[in-house]
Amino acid sequence: MHSSEQTKKTPIAVLISGRGSNLQCLIDACAADAYPARIVAVISNRPDAYGLERARAAGIPAIAIDHKAYEARESFEAALDTALREAGAQFVCLAGFMRILTESFVNRWAGRMINIHPSLLPKFKGVDTHKRAIEAGETEHGCTVHWVTPGMDEGPVIAQARVPVLPGDTPETLAARVLEQEHRLYPQALELALAQQR
Ligand code: GRF
């Protein structure tokens, strides 16, 4: 890649807590010259997150900031904010990041932070979305990429993808169907978000 193309890409950080399959899709998307982002850091609040290995394998700085090492949410977030700035991140993608962020942190990154959530928001905010969708008798479920605002899973929607809920679905089979769509949606939605920002 030419350096002029590098500079057109927005430097982003991806925050994770676990397996990092959505992270992997973002890594793969960013590999294309024409894609408008490049990943400057992957940060996990769990040192054992498999996603950190994915980052290392791709040659991306992988940083663990263990929330258990901090007494207060605010001090954990101060460390997170420092790491983001030191990495030169101008935009943040939450991808299976399982910590609630304070209003003050969210406001610091307002308009520059997005999240992927496994439901058709505003339905099923929070956890166990697939189980709850089945129990509610939904015939359709899916995933949402949205701007992060202080209310959990409440920010403006950037893009959604839908899947059917099929007879006999378990939370696991439904989750797998949704995850496939997450992987398609997140890179597209990030591109849209960056375009909206400009
Ligand atoms: C995804 O279902 C995402 O929507 C949710 O947590 C899961 C993370 O999966 N927020 P992965 O770590 O990207 O594989």
Side-chain angles (χ1 to χ4, degrees), residues 84-121:
L84 289 169
R85 286 168 201 283
E86 280 177 3
Q90 289 173 13
F91 198 94
V92 176
C93 291
L94 307 182
F97 182 69
M98 299 304 286
R99 299 298 295 168
I100 289 174
L101 295 166
T102 64
E103 184 164 355
S104 130
F105 184 88
V106 169
N107 286 340
R108 242 175 299 155
W109 289 90
R112 296 182 297 150
M113 181 156 62
I114 66 177
N115 179 44
I116 187 155
H117 182 77
S119 80
L120 294 172
L121 290 173

Side-chain angles (χ1 to χ4, degrees), residues 118-164:
S119 80
L120 294 172
L121 290 173
K123 286 186 174 173
F124 309 114
K125 296 171 185 170
V127 297
D128 293 333
T129 57
H130 310 302
K131 181 167 179 280
R132 286 157 60 209
I134 291 170
E135 283 171 1
E138 298 286 336
T139 56
E140 204 178 42
H141 186 46
C143 51
T144 303
V145 176
H146 65 95
W147 291 102
V148 177
T149 56
M152 190 185 58
D153 301 330
E154 275 181 3
V157 170
I158 298 160
Q160 291 186 312
R162 290 162 192 278
V163 301

Side-chain angles (χ1 to χ4, degrees), residues 18-23 95-98 115-118 179 182-183:
R19 94 195 132 172
S21 68
N22 279 291
L23 161 68
F97 182 69
M98 299 304 286
N115 179 44
I116 187 155
H117 182 77
L179 191 63
E182 292 184 39
H183 295 163

